[in-house]
Structure formats: structure tokens, C-alpha cells
Amino acid sequence: MNQIKISEIEGFKIGHAQNDEAATGCTVILNEQGAVTGVDVRGGAPGTRETDLLKSENLVEAVHAVFLAGGSAYGLDVGSGVMKYLEEREVGFDVQVAKVPIVTGAILFDLINGDPLIRPDKAMGYEACANVNQISQHHGNLGAGTGATVGKCLGPDYIMKGGMGTYALQIGELKIGAIVAVNSFGDIYDPMTNQIIAGAYDRKKKMFLNTEQQMIYQLQHSSVTNRFSGNTSIGTVLTNAKVTKAQANKIAAMAHDGFARTMRPSHTMVDGDTIFAMSTNKVEADLNTVGFLASTVIEKAVIQAVRSAEHVFDIPSYQDTVDN
């Protein structure tokens, strides 16, 4: 089992666009030939586009793009820019009178940072497509991870920086990877040490406050809590394994174990946690193995996202806690 770059999984192109001053952005994953795609939505406050067509019983089998975006529900406009880009290249589902690009995606809530009136839109979605394969490293403060933060149970004075992360593996001919924008309500744990590496953080005392313990304290003392209207971590698993759409949906479901191992709590009512699974459908592989590998690459991508994030405004990052 060898670690590879996510860009080494053939058939996919990844692009990002962002507004650093407004602290928001978007990420696109393109497959112009069409990828078998599934999705699993676990959070209680999701914002998604065209996920119903990914149900196993529905007609469309191939998806041409998945986008991940900030901007809360406003960020769904990114999909229109992705469609425009693909239509110009005559990529899409042939309906005789036109080729309709099949574009699905999900958004996260990042309006508390930067300028809440500037959000990812059609133009930014198009720009992200134009930027595909412009960079080889897809982590840190870029794309949908630009304004991502974590650890929000005590409000914005205690949050830390989240970000974008990737991780990919190759076993024989099988390749599988994940790209994730980490923007969780809960804390981020490193499963290898079972220690918090980012989350609710007291900046004066320079200590983690442990979100789950804070939530129990708030419950016991009937405290008013600050939950915001949305948080949400979103990501996509990319693979070349041969799968049906139903199996891609199952892989996306199994991949959520990677969120559960790294985010505490995960899948809350104020998270819209969503994972897509896209496949070029080339290599025979056991579905059980592909599923657990999907959760592994998601887990590793989450950790990379946090460790590679840099502080913005007055929001500290993992690196700031290490230095201190």
C-alpha cells in the first residue's frame, strides 16, 4: 500500500478558486467522461445540489462534476458556473437537443469570517474549472477550505482554522483518495494519539476546551449555547474501482467513518456533513476493501486539512498551538 498524490488518480481534474479577503471559496472535481457517483448525507443541516439523482433507483449513472463550496446556501450557485464551463466543451448527458452536464455538489457555512456578503457564485465556479490542474498540492487555505473553521460550541471567539485536505493510496492497480473541506462544529482528533489537534480553544490560556465536555456542561447548567445555523464538513472520495451507483452510495456511507473517527461530535444537527464517491470504473476490487479504504483516506485528509491550515484574521491554526 503506497501513498500517492490525489492527482495521480487518472480521469479526475481538481480546481480551486477563492477570495482570500472574504475568506471563502470553492473546489471542483471534474470527470468529463462521466464518473459513477454516489453520495451519503449524514448531517442534520445539509445544503446540496442534485443529490436526489444519485439515488440508486434513479436514471442518471454518470456525473461530470462535483463541487464543494463555502457561502452557505448561496454557494450552490457555483454549480451554474461549472455547468457553463462543461457546456462550452460539449460535456454532458445527451438529450438530443443539448448535452446537459450533470453537476452535483454541497456547501458549507463560512459566513462568520471575512465578508459575509461575498460568497462563491457562478463566476467563481467557472474560475475553479478553468484552474483545474494548475497546482499539485490541494491542501490548506484554498478552495472550499478557505474560510473553514472548527470547534464552534462556544462561539467565534474560541474557533480554530479548518481547511482543505487530501490523501490518496494505491494498492496494485487500485487507486483511492479523498478531498475534504473541514468545517466541523466539533473538535478534530488525531486517531493515532486520541488527542485534540484543533477545536474549541481558549486563546488566552492556550488550551483546548473539549467540545463534548462543554456540551455536557451546558446541558447540566441549562446554558444558552451558540450553534450557528450551519457548520458542515464536505468531501469526495475518488477511485478507479469498478462499482455500480448503488455500490458508490455504499462507499460514500462507509467513508463517513473517517469523519466519525476524527470529528467529535460529528454528524450533528448543525452540520450538513456530506461525502460523495466518484469512480472511473476501471479496476476490479472487493467492495468491503474499497469501503474501509474510503474511510481511511477521508480520515487522513481531515488530519492533513487541519495540520496544513494557516491562521487568518485572529483565528488560530494548528501550527499556532504547536508553536505555543
Side-chain angles (χ1 to χ4, degrees):
M1 185 164 62
N2 299 316
Q3 184 179 353
I4 60 174
K5 292 182 178 180
I6 198 163
S7 57
E8 294 179 60
I9 305 177
E10 295 86 357
F12 299 103
K13 299 176 182 178
I14 300 172
H16 311 275
Q18 64 269 341
N19 184 316
D20 292 318
E21 292 183 2
T24 194
C26 66
T27 296
V28 297
I29 305 103
L30 304 182
N31 185 297
E32 296 182 3
Q33 302 304 312
V36 177
T37 302
V39 67
D40 192 83
V41 181
R42 293 287 177 92
T48 60
R49 170 189 165 118
E50 296 279 35
T51 50
D52 276 356
L53 65 80
L54 300 180
K55 291 181 179 179
S56 302
E57 69 271 20
N58 288 341
L59 173 65
V60 172
E61 291 287 339
V63 167
H64 303 103
V66 168
F67 69 86
L68 312 173
S72 190
Y74 297 106
L76 293 173
D77 193 32
V78 164
S80 297
V82 179
M83 286 194 72
K84 182 176 186 294
Y85 178 90
L86 293 173
E87 182 184 24
E88 289 176 355
R89 287 151 183 80
E90 298 186 346
V91 173
F93 184 74
D94 192 349
V95 295
Q96 303 303 312
V97 295
K99 288 187 176 179
V100 181
I102 306 301
V103 177
T104 186
I107 52 85
L108 56 80
F109 181 90
D110 59 2
L111 301 180
I112 60 172
N113 310 310
D115 187 342
L117 299 181
I118 297 177
R119 309 111 177 186
D121 56 11
K122 180 178 180 179
M124 188 180 285
Y126 189 96
E127 180 185 354
C129 293
N131 289 340
V132 293
N133 295 340
Q134 294 299 306
I135 61 173
S136 59
Q137 301 295 330
H138 303 280
H139 57 256
N141 297 16
L142 83 168
T146 302
T149 53
V150 299
K152 301 165 192 173
C153 73
L154 296 175
D157 292 338
Y158 296 89
I159 61 177
M160 284 182 63
K161 189 69 182 70
M164 178 68 66
T166 64
Y167 195 86
L169 294 169
Q170 180 171 1
I171 305 173
E173 294 183 346
L174 175 68
K175 295 181 180 180
I176 186 168
I179 181 164
V180 179
V182 179
N183 187 61
S184 63
F185 170 78
D187 298 326
I188 305 300
Y189 281 73
D190 182 346
M192 299 298 293
T193 63
N194 200 35
Q195 298 296 311
I196 299 173
I197 60 173
Y201 185 71
D202 189 318
R203 301 171 191 177
K204 293 182 179 180
K205 296 181 180 179
K206 298 180 180 180
M207 61 180 290
F208 293 111
L209 299 175
N210 193 310
T211 291
E212 292 182 330
Q213 290 182 11
Q214 292 297 324
M215 292 173 72
I216 292 171
Y217 177 87
Q218 291 165 347
L219 178 66
Q220 292 174 330
H221 294 81
S222 300
S223 301
V224 176
T225 59
N226 192 334
R227 299 289 188 249
F228 302 114
S229 59
N231 303 283
T232 302
S233 295
I234 48 181
T236 305
V237 173
L238 309 179
T239 185
N240 60 0
K242 281 190 176 181
V243 295
T244 64
K245 186 165 68 167
Q247 290 170 334
N249 281 318
K250 182 62 176 177
I251 290 168
M254 295 174 73
H256 272 281
D257 287 352
F259 277 0
R261 289 198 290 259
T262 54
M263 303 173 187
R264 301 184 194 173
S266 60
H267 309 133
T268 72
M269 291 300 292
V270 291
D271 285 296
D273 297 340
T274 300
I275 296 178
F276 297 89
M278 305 178 74
S279 177
T280 55
N281 216 27
K282 301 290 187 183
V283 177
E284 293 283 357
D286 174 64
L287 178 63
N288 298 296
T289 304
V290 175
F292 95 73
L293 288 173
S295 66
T296 297
V297 294
I298 286 284
E299 171 191 319
K300 299 293 187 181
V302 169
I303 298 303
Q304 189 202 48
V306 168
R307 287 183 169 161
S308 62
E310 299 176 2
H311 72 268
V312 294
F313 310 124
D314 60 345
I315 303 170
S317 68
Y318 164 80
Q319 289 297 329
D320 297 319
T321 67
V322 172
D323 292 340
N324 291 328

